[in-house]
Amino acid sequence: NARLVADITLNENVLNADGSLATGSFRQWRPIGSYDAHYTGTFDGKQHTIYGLYINRPTQGNYPNGNYSGLFGYTKDANLHDINVAAGYIDGGQYVGGIVGYAHSTSITRCSNANTVNSGYYGMMGGITGYQYYGSLFHCYNVGIINSHKRSSLYVGGIVGRLFANANSCYSVASVYGSFYVGAVVGELTSGYRTTNCYYLRETAYAKTLAQYGVGAPEGDRMADALGSMDTIAVGTLATGELAWLMNSKNAEPVWLQTIGVDAVPTFVGDTVFRVVNCPEGYTYSNARTQMHTLTYEEKVDATCTEHGHVAGYTCSVCHKHFEDETALIELSELEWVIAKLGHNAVADEY
């Protein structure tokens, strides 16, 4: 087992601004674990980042050729979590991923890829893993370019090339290019498995020249996302906190964090995002739970025989709703706000 205790820079200035490989001499990375010697432990990245990972072996065959390329090459019965890779370049053969090339019965959780990931051979490539065979893939995201430069490439996805497992709470917002079974999130989703709570940017995945959806399809035909629970997002929703809130709304705990105004996309460090009322325009997203109303405090008014009263609280002068305190988090219904009039209690006079 192992854990990262700090960020690591393996190479500097690996990528150009457009994500292409920069000119220079870089140290090649040998993936952890191979076809002959699987990595079987637990690797805890502690949400640190490995920068400048460089692999340039776009050939078929096991190491030193390019199959099973990534930070990890081949894992089995392993647990990989809280690992981030960025500003690196990976060009491999078959089974290529930003985190792991081939994940066999492996749990991958809270990992991210901001490397450019390429494949010069058959395919099975993704931002997180090229092939997820059993195990699980939860809470991961990709912001790195995924590009197969072989005309007959198969199984190319923003998160995973070929998924033989379940995936939950993942998103990809970068360009994905391939030939067949190309998806913004999953290249191919094997029958019997599902994705849930996954999102992607519209028109970021292309099979040759045809725009794809979240799950890839054979022959480059576009496949709707019925096989998985996926939805599209617009570019404008990334920095606002909306995506973080959407994904957290379907999780038991707020996994996705984002400091609005600082973070361009949701990550695993930062502040919790709340959806708050922005009266009268609808909802907005904030790191504070205070709702946006124009509030006036009202003292308690006792009911009389002929007039209703009300409890003490706050009233919005725009939408006229009532709230328990100045945060406007707890709305009071009319039944809770109003103190019903007492009515008359007539007593007969005695003569």
Side-chain angles (χ1 to χ4, degrees), residues 298-326:
E298 296 190 46
E299 298 281 358
K300 178 183 178 182
V301 174
D302 292 322
T304 67
C305 294
T306 58
E307 300 290 337
H308 294 305
H310 61 74
V311 300
Y314 291 78
T315 300
C316 177
S317 61
V318 179
C319 66
H320 307 294
K321 293 181 179 179
H322 310 291
F323 302 93
E324 187 174 281
D325 58 30
E326 65 273 16

Short mmCIF file of all heavy atoms in Angstrom, two decimals, residues 298-326:
data_model
loop_
_atom_site.label_atom_id
_atom_site.label_comp_id
_atom_site.label_asym_id
_atom_site.label_seq_id
_atom_site.Cartn_x
_atom_site.Cartn_y
_atom_site.Cartn_z
N GLU A 298 -40.99 41.09 11.45
CA GLU A 298 -42.31 41.46 11.95
C GLU A 298 -42.52 40.86 13.34
O GLU A 298 -42.33 39.66 13.54
CB GLU A 298 -43.41 40.96 11.00
CG GLU A 298 -43.35 41.59 9.62
CD GLU A 298 -44.59 41.25 8.80
OE1 GLU A 298 -45.71 41.36 9.35
OE2 GLU A 298 -44.44 40.86 7.63
N GLU A 299 -42.87 41.70 14.26
CA GLU A 299 -43.18 41.26 15.63
C GLU A 299 -44.47 40.43 15.62
O GLU A 299 -45.29 40.53 14.70
CB GLU A 299 -43.36 42.47 16.55
CG GLU A 299 -42.13 43.34 16.71
CD GLU A 299 -41.12 42.76 17.67
OE1 GLU A 299 -41.40 41.68 18.25
OE2 GLU A 299 -40.05 43.35 17.84
N LYS A 300 -44.62 39.65 16.68
CA LYS A 300 -45.83 38.87 16.81
C LYS A 300 -47.05 39.78 16.95
O LYS A 300 -47.00 40.81 17.65
CB LYS A 300 -45.74 37.96 18.02
CG LYS A 300 -46.99 37.12 18.28
CD LYS A 300 -46.86 36.29 19.54
CE LYS A 300 -48.14 35.51 19.82
NZ LYS A 300 -48.06 34.73 21.07
N VAL A 301 -48.13 39.41 16.26
CA VAL A 301 -49.39 40.13 16.38
C VAL A 301 -50.44 39.15 16.89
O VAL A 301 -50.69 38.11 16.27
CB VAL A 301 -49.84 40.71 15.02
CG1 VAL A 301 -51.23 41.33 15.13
CG2 VAL A 301 -48.83 41.72 14.50
N ASP A 302 -51.01 39.47 18.03
CA ASP A 302 -52.02 38.58 18.61
C ASP A 302 -53.33 38.66 17.83
O ASP A 302 -53.70 39.71 17.30
CB ASP A 302 -52.28 38.96 20.06
CG ASP A 302 -51.08 38.67 20.96
OD1 ASP A 302 -50.43 37.63 20.73
OD2 ASP A 302 -50.81 39.48 21.87
N ALA A 303 -53.99 37.55 17.76
CA ALA A 303 -55.30 37.50 17.11
C ALA A 303 -56.34 38.14 18.00
O ALA A 303 -56.21 38.20 19.23
CB ALA A 303 -55.67 36.06 16.81
N THR A 304 -57.37 38.66 17.37
CA THR A 304 -58.52 39.20 18.11
C THR A 304 -59.75 38.39 17.72
O THR A 304 -59.68 37.42 16.96
CB THR A 304 -58.74 40.68 17.74
OG1 THR A 304 -59.15 40.77 16.37
CG2 THR A 304 -57.47 41.48 17.95
N CYS A 305 -60.87 38.84 18.24
CA CYS A 305 -62.11 38.13 17.91
C CYS A 305 -62.43 38.19 16.42
O CYS A 305 -62.99 37.26 15.85
CB CYS A 305 -63.28 38.71 18.70
SG CYS A 305 -63.14 38.46 20.48
N THR A 306 -62.03 39.29 15.79
CA THR A 306 -62.43 39.50 14.40
C THR A 306 -61.26 39.51 13.42
O THR A 306 -61.49 39.48 12.21
CB THR A 306 -63.17 40.85 14.27
OG1 THR A 306 -62.30 41.90 14.74
CG2 THR A 306 -64.44 40.84 15.09
N GLU A 307 -60.01 39.58 13.93
CA GLU A 307 -58.86 39.68 13.04
C GLU A 307 -57.84 38.57 13.34
O GLU A 307 -57.58 38.23 14.49
CB GLU A 307 -58.17 41.04 13.21
CG GLU A 307 -59.05 42.23 12.89
CD GLU A 307 -59.34 42.33 11.40
OE1 GLU A 307 -58.55 41.79 10.60
OE2 GLU A 307 -60.38 42.93 11.06
N HIS A 308 -57.27 38.04 12.25
CA HIS A 308 -56.17 37.08 12.41
C HIS A 308 -54.91 37.81 12.92
O HIS A 308 -54.70 39.00 12.65
CB HIS A 308 -55.83 36.42 11.08
CG HIS A 308 -56.90 35.54 10.53
ND1 HIS A 308 -57.46 34.50 11.23
CD2 HIS A 308 -57.54 35.56 9.31
CE1 HIS A 308 -58.37 33.90 10.50
NE2 HIS A 308 -58.45 34.53 9.32
N GLY A 309 -54.06 37.10 13.60
CA GLY A 309 -52.74 37.59 13.96
C GLY A 309 -51.68 36.75 13.25
O GLY A 309 -51.98 35.98 12.34
N HIS A 310 -50.42 36.93 13.66
CA HIS A 310 -49.36 36.08 13.10
C HIS A 310 -48.21 35.98 14.09
O HIS A 310 -48.06 36.81 14.99
CB HIS A 310 -48.86 36.63 11.75
CG HIS A 310 -48.27 38.00 11.81
ND1 HIS A 310 -47.02 38.27 12.34
CD2 HIS A 310 -48.77 39.21 11.42
CE1 HIS A 310 -46.77 39.56 12.26
NE2 HIS A 310 -47.83 40.17 11.71
N VAL A 311 -47.39 34.94 13.92
CA VAL A 311 -46.24 34.74 14.78
C VAL A 311 -45.15 35.74 14.40
O VAL A 311 -45.22 36.42 13.37
CB VAL A 311 -45.72 33.30 14.67
CG1 VAL A 311 -46.80 32.30 15.09
CG2 VAL A 311 -45.24 33.00 13.25
N ALA A 312 -44.11 35.83 15.21
CA ALA A 312 -42.96 36.66 14.87
C ALA A 312 -42.13 35.97 13.79
O ALA A 312 -42.01 34.75 13.77
CB ALA A 312 -42.11 36.90 16.11
N GLY A 313 -41.57 36.73 12.87
CA GLY A 313 -40.74 36.17 11.81
C GLY A 313 -40.40 37.20 10.77
O GLY A 313 -40.57 38.41 10.98
N TYR A 314 -39.92 36.71 9.65
CA TYR A 314 -39.44 37.59 8.57
C TYR A 314 -40.31 37.41 7.34
O TYR A 314 -40.66 36.28 6.96
CB TYR A 314 -37.99 37.28 8.23
CG TYR A 314 -37.02 37.67 9.32
CD1 TYR A 314 -36.86 36.87 10.44
CD2 TYR A 314 -36.28 38.84 9.22
CE1 TYR A 314 -35.97 37.23 11.45
CE2 TYR A 314 -35.40 39.21 10.22
CZ TYR A 314 -35.24 38.40 11.33
OH TYR A 314 -34.37 38.76 12.33
N THR A 315 -40.62 38.52 6.67
CA THR A 315 -41.44 38.50 5.46
C THR A 315 -40.67 39.15 4.32
O THR A 315 -40.06 40.21 4.50
CB THR A 315 -42.77 39.24 5.69
OG1 THR A 315 -43.48 38.60 6.75
CG2 THR A 315 -43.61 39.24 4.42
N CYS A 316 -40.69 38.50 3.15
CA CYS A 316 -40.06 39.06 1.95
C CYS A 316 -41.02 40.04 1.30
O CYS A 316 -42.17 39.69 1.01
CB CYS A 316 -39.68 37.95 0.98
SG CYS A 316 -38.98 38.57 -0.58
N SER A 317 -40.54 41.23 1.05
CA SER A 317 -41.39 42.27 0.46
C SER A 317 -41.62 42.04 -1.03
O SER A 317 -42.46 42.71 -1.63
CB SER A 317 -40.76 43.65 0.67
OG SER A 317 -39.49 43.72 0.05
N VAL A 318 -40.88 41.10 -1.64
CA VAL A 318 -41.02 40.83 -3.07
C VAL A 318 -41.98 39.67 -3.32
O VAL A 318 -42.97 39.80 -4.04
CB VAL A 318 -39.65 40.53 -3.71
CG1 VAL A 318 -39.82 40.23 -5.21
CG2 VAL A 318 -38.71 41.71 -3.51
N CYS A 319 -41.69 38.52 -2.69
CA CYS A 319 -42.52 37.34 -2.93
C CYS A 319 -43.56 37.13 -1.84
O CYS A 319 -44.43 36.26 -1.96
CB CYS A 319 -41.66 36.09 -3.08
SG CYS A 319 -40.79 35.61 -1.57
N HIS A 320 -43.44 37.90 -0.72
CA HIS A 320 -44.40 37.87 0.39
C HIS A 320 -44.44 36.54 1.13
O HIS A 320 -45.41 36.24 1.82
CB HIS A 320 -45.81 38.24 -0.10
CG HIS A 320 -45.85 39.54 -0.85
ND1 HIS A 320 -45.58 40.75 -0.25
CD2 HIS A 320 -46.07 39.80 -2.17
CE1 HIS A 320 -45.66 41.72 -1.16
NE2 HIS A 320 -45.95 41.16 -2.33
N LYS A 321 -43.36 35.77 1.02
CA LYS A 321 -43.26 34.54 1.80
C LYS A 321 -42.74 34.87 3.19
O LYS A 321 -42.09 35.91 3.41
CB LYS A 321 -42.35 33.53 1.11
CG LYS A 321 -42.92 33.00 -0.21
CD LYS A 321 -41.98 31.99 -0.85
CE LYS A 321 -42.59 31.44 -2.14
NZ LYS A 321 -41.67 30.47 -2.81
N HIS A 322 -42.99 33.96 4.12
CA HIS A 322 -42.59 34.18 5.52
C HIS A 322 -41.54 33.15 5.92
O HIS A 322 -41.59 31.98 5.51
CB HIS A 322 -43.81 34.05 6.43
CG HIS A 322 -44.98 34.87 5.99
ND1 HIS A 322 -44.99 36.24 6.03
CD2 HIS A 322 -46.20 34.50 5.47
CE1 HIS A 322 -46.15 36.70 5.58
NE2 HIS A 322 -46.89 35.66 5.23
N PHE A 323 -40.58 33.60 6.79
CA PHE A 323 -39.47 32.74 7.17
C PHE A 323 -39.21 32.84 8.67
O PHE A 323 -39.51 33.84 9.31
CB PHE A 323 -38.21 33.12 6.40
CG PHE A 323 -38.38 33.04 4.91
CD1 PHE A 323 -38.78 34.16 4.18
CD2 PHE A 323 -38.19 31.84 4.24
CE1 PHE A 323 -38.96 34.08 2.81
CE2 PHE A 323 -38.37 31.75 2.88
CZ PHE A 323 -38.76 32.88 2.15
N GLU A 324 -38.61 31.77 9.18
CA GLU A 324 -38.36 31.69 10.62
C GLU A 324 -37.29 32.65 11.09
O GLU A 324 -37.38 33.25 12.16
CB GLU A 324 -37.96 30.25 10.98
CG GLU A 324 -37.85 30.00 12.46
CD GLU A 324 -37.59 28.54 12.77
OE1 GLU A 324 -38.56 27.75 12.74
OE2 GLU A 324 -36.42 28.19 13.03
N ASP A 325 -36.19 32.82 10.28
CA ASP A 325 -35.12 33.74 10.67
C ASP A 325 -34.55 34.42 9.43
O ASP A 325 -35.02 34.21 8.31
CB ASP A 325 -34.03 33.03 11.46
CG ASP A 325 -33.40 31.87 10.70
OD1 ASP A 325 -33.35 31.94 9.46
OD2 ASP A 325 -32.97 30.90 11.34
N GLU A 326 -33.51 35.24 9.64
CA GLU A 326 -32.99 36.07 8.56
C GLU A 326 -32.24 35.28 7.48
O GLU A 326 -31.94 35.81 6.42
CB GLU A 326 -32.07 37.17 9.12
CG GLU A 326 -30.79 36.67 9.78
CD GLU A 326 -30.98 36.35 11.24
OE1 GLU A 326 -32.13 36.20 11.70
OE2 GLU A 326 -29.95 36.24 11.94
#
